[in-house]
Amino acid sequence: GGTFLFLVWDDYATMTDSPIWIAALKVAEMLGRQPHSLVSPGYHDEPTIRADLAAAGFRELKIERVTRPAKAASARQAAIMTVQGSLVRTAIEAVDPSRLVEATNAVEQVMRARFGDGPVQGEANALVVTTAKPR
């Protein structure tokens, strides 16, 4: 028995104002990769989540979609957080670690063009999943 609670990111392609997705798009272009390969693996399809949890014996499943702000003090800070503090960094370093600064600068320019010179305020969507396993 017990309760199982977890959170997964929604489909990044639907989060057009998500700083991490904006960074993934730019870095994917630079590296010749698919943007989804630079972020957490997708697990956001509700029917799949429901089927997987039911197969594992979980019941009383609740999935709630939430949207929260994704903030940074500036385009530079958003670029550092999304490029150097995520799976994006791992992808860059696997190809050519010397391109980390180049990628950070490129993402900063995209963020500045999108959000201006002030604070960055995007959005991130997630699914909060709560379920119970019968005793």
Side-chain angles (χ1 to χ4, degrees):
T3 300
F4 182 36
L5 170 72
F6 64 95
L7 178 136
V8 292
W9 294 116
D10 202 350
D11 182 3
Y12 285 104
T14 67
M15 294 189 274
T16 58
D17 283 334
S18 169
I20 189 67
W21 184 243
I22 293 167
L25 290 170
K26 182 61 182 174
V27 173
E29 176 187 307
M30 291 175 62
L31 300 179
R33 301 229 345 227
Q34 292 296 317
H36 280 97
S37 72
L38 303 177
V39 292
S40 301
Y43 188 68
H44 49 78
D45 181 66
E46 284 190 48
T48 300
I49 294 169
R50 289 180 185 284
D52 289 348
L53 291 172
F58 287 94
R59 303 290 179 260
E60 303 171 29
L61 177 64
K62 178 182 170 189
I63 299 177
E64 178 185 6
R65 289 185 179 273
V66 296
T67 299
R68 295 291 186 264
K71 301 178 185 180
S74 65
R76 182 70 185 166
Q77 287 299 317
I80 290 169
M81 289 187 300
T82 57
V83 174
Q84 297 183 21
S86 72
L87 292 175
V88 173
R89 179 185 192 130
T90 305
I92 294 166
E93 289 179 338
V95 173
D96 183 353
S98 71
R99 296 192 74 188
L100 187 61
V101 171
E102 173 192 359
T104 303
N105 292 341
V107 169
E108 177 183 4
Q109 293 307 311
V110 172
M111 295 287 184
R112 183 168 278 112
R114 178 77 166 260
F115 297 104
D117 290 327
V120 169
Q121 173 118 9
E123 286 187 345
N125 304 327
L127 286 75
V128 178
V129 182
T130 308
T131 188
K133 180 107 175 182
R135 294 182 194 263

